[in-house]
Amino acid sequence: MSKSYYFTLIFPVLLLFLGASIIGIKQQNLTPETFVPVAVLSVLFIIVQLVSSKFKSKADQYLLSIVIFLSSLSAVMILRLKPDLFTHQLMWIGIGLVIFAAVVFFADRLLDLLDYPYVLGIGALVIICSVLLLGTDINGNRNWIILGPVQVQPSEFAKLFIIAFLSSFLSENKNVLTLPSRGWKFLHFPPFRFLAPLLLIWSAAMLMFVSLRDLGSALLFFGIVIIMTYVATGKKIYVFLALFFFSVSSYISYLFFEHVRTRVAIWLHPWDDPMGSAYQIVQSLFAFSYGGIFGTGFSFGFPLLIPEVHTDFIFAAIGEEFGLIGVSLLLLAYLLLFVRGIKTAFFCTNEKYKLLAFGLSVTMLLQTFIILAGVTKLLPLTGITLPFISYGGSSMVSSFISLGLLFALSTKEK
């Protein structure tokens, strides 16, 4: 392992210990026991980085280094915002790291599944349909399955199946999808028998998410499908077709679901009800304003005024206490993660691997954009999480699976 990778571990470990120290001092509860869970996570960071660099010496180690930094920031912020959930978040980060190592180790067998696109597509639909039978309505979205003390969000894992399906299907049928057989004026489509599987999988997933009122996942899935299809085929007609269907679906959702109308009203006119339905987004805007350029300082802001700040609005807490400088560094970390993922896609010579690496990379960036746009009122608020930072087991585990696949693909063709 080169010295540069050792250096990348220093800052996340220091961030963990410094954050725990500040919280302990402020709460007048700084004891040796305070640093035990932090020390365990730090050791796990080092072990996973060492093992991954040894097992996959030619892989892009900076992918893991960036995520370790994001995970450290996540742990520190959860300790600041919800101390009672701190141990749970460390547990999910630890589980995510172990699953990351398992995905890297069994990557060859997992990638063999790309030879079965329809199995992947059906698997995605089965996961989505499971919410119809077993789902529980939380905050207006029926997208959770409660298994005892654990809450699972199936859409986090369904998106991985959708990405894998698109990577396989588009690579196998790219040439056919780019050859028009019939059309009307400027609309030209390939033979329907080749277009049907793509439309069926996408439409079924979109309709199910709309019926479940999980519009954040619907927007994310829409973005994944349209971007990957356009990159694979280069045909603008698929972009226009997808935009048309998404616009119709959005309008129908607005007409039939009060939950959607409320979110649109909050987005357009938050100051009409700042102490009621728009309280969350208004407090988020105040947090960014109060943070300014340099922030209030860690643990010196008032992010707890924002309801559920540790999940959807954790970015607002970071903006308040670390300011524009801290937010810019965080965005730079996500951008670097995207660039390293795209670099992996460029290095792959296998078309399926190339599309898979691209899909995983663009999904992380798109998910980050959607939640940040919602928190800053650029878009209506959705219920998706900030990758590797927001509290939640399903999001953390699925994100580490994506990272493991990208990490394995970065050395697959070398």
Side-chain angles (χ1 to χ4, degrees), residues 30-79:
L30 186 62
T31 62
E33 289 76 13
T34 304
F35 300 101
V36 172
V38 171
V40 171
L41 183 60
S42 299
V43 171
L44 187 58
F45 282 159
I46 296 172
I47 291 175
V48 171
Q49 184 84 70
L50 288 170
V51 171
S52 63
S53 64
K54 184 72 174 179
F55 184 68
K56 294 286 187 180
S57 58
K58 295 182 179 180
D60 188 346
Q61 300 294 330
Y62 289 108
L63 286 169
L64 181 58
S65 299
I66 295 169
V67 169
I68 286 177
F69 160 71
L70 295 175
S71 301
S72 299
L73 180 60
S74 171
V76 169
M77 291 305 299
I78 294 301
L79 179 61

Side-chain angles (χ1 to χ4, degrees), residues 35 44 69 82 85 91 98 113 115 117 181 187 247 282 297 369 393:
F35 300 101
L44 187 58
F69 160 71
K82 292 287 183 178
L85 298 178
M91 179 189 70
V98 172
L113 294 175
D115 295 331
S181 63
L187 297 176
S247 299
V282 167
F369 169 76

Side-chain angles (χ1 to χ4, degrees), residues 98-114:
V98 172
I99 291 178
F100 161 81
V103 169
V104 172
F105 185 79
F106 295 105
D108 291 337
R109 296 182 181 180
L110 292 175
L111 293 175
D112 286 342
L113 294 175
L114 294 177

Side-chain angles (χ1 to χ4, degrees), residues 119-343:
V119 173
L120 294 169
I122 294 173
L125 294 181
V126 169
I127 293 175
I128 298 170
C129 288
S130 65
V131 187
L132 291 172
L133 300 175
L134 306 173
T136 301
D137 195 309
I138 299 179
N139 295 329
N141 293 339
R142 188 181 174 84
N143 57 354
W144 295 89
I145 294 178
I146 299 179
L147 303 174
V150 180
Q151 295 181 356
V152 180
Q153 191 171 8
S155 60
E156 290 288 345
F157 303 99
K159 71 182 180 185
L160 298 177
F161 279 82
I162 291 291
I163 295 169
F165 163 75
L166 291 171
S167 302
S168 181
F169 179 82
L170 292 173
S171 61
E172 291 181 358
N173 298 278
K174 180 179 67 174
N175 294 332
V176 178
L177 292 173
T178 56
L179 295 176
S181 63
R182 62 182 64 182
W184 179 75
K185 293 186 178 180
F186 64 92
L187 297 176
H188 298 279
F189 300 99
F192 183 75
R193 64 181 182 276
F194 296 105
L195 187 61
L198 181 63
L199 291 177
L200 177 62
I201 294 292
W202 177 72
S203 299
M206 288 293 296
L207 289 174
M208 288 179 185
F209 278 122
V210 169
S211 65
L212 296 172
R213 291 176 290 177
D214 187 3
L215 300 182
S217 297
L219 180 60
L220 179 62
F221 275 48
F222 161 76
I224 294 171
V225 173
I226 191 173
I227 293 174
M228 290 187 66
T229 304
Y230 179 71
V231 167
T233 64
K235 301 291 288 184
K236 296 180 181 179
I237 181 59
Y238 296 122
V239 177
F240 293 122
L241 186 64
L243 285 173
F244 172 76
F245 278 113
F246 185 78
S247 299
V248 172
S249 300
S250 300
Y251 183 69
I252 293 174
S253 301
Y254 180 82
L255 292 178
F256 286 94
F257 298 123
E258 178 66 26
H259 177 66
V260 178
R261 290 196 295 272
T262 300
R263 290 199 172 187
V264 172
I266 292 172
W267 172 53
L268 295 175
H269 309 289
W271 303 106
D272 289 350
D273 190 17
M275 299 302 294
S277 60
Y279 180 79
Q280 197 175 32
I281 186 63
V282 167
Q283 291 299 322
S284 175
L285 297 176
F286 278 137
F288 285 113
S289 176
Y290 188 49
I293 297 178
F294 300 101
T296 61
F298 182 63
S299 80
F300 287 95
F302 301 95
L304 295 179
L305 293 175
I306 307 174
E308 302 299 325
V309 66
H310 61 294
T311 55
D312 298 357
F313 281 82
I314 197 168
F315 183 71
I318 295 173
E320 180 176 358
E321 300 200 336
F322 294 95
L324 179 62
I325 294 177
V327 166
S328 299
L329 291 175
L330 178 59
L331 294 179
L332 180 61
Y334 279 113
L335 184 60
L336 286 174
L337 184 62
F338 172 73
V339 170
R340 304 303 296 193
I342 293 299
K343 183 180 179 182

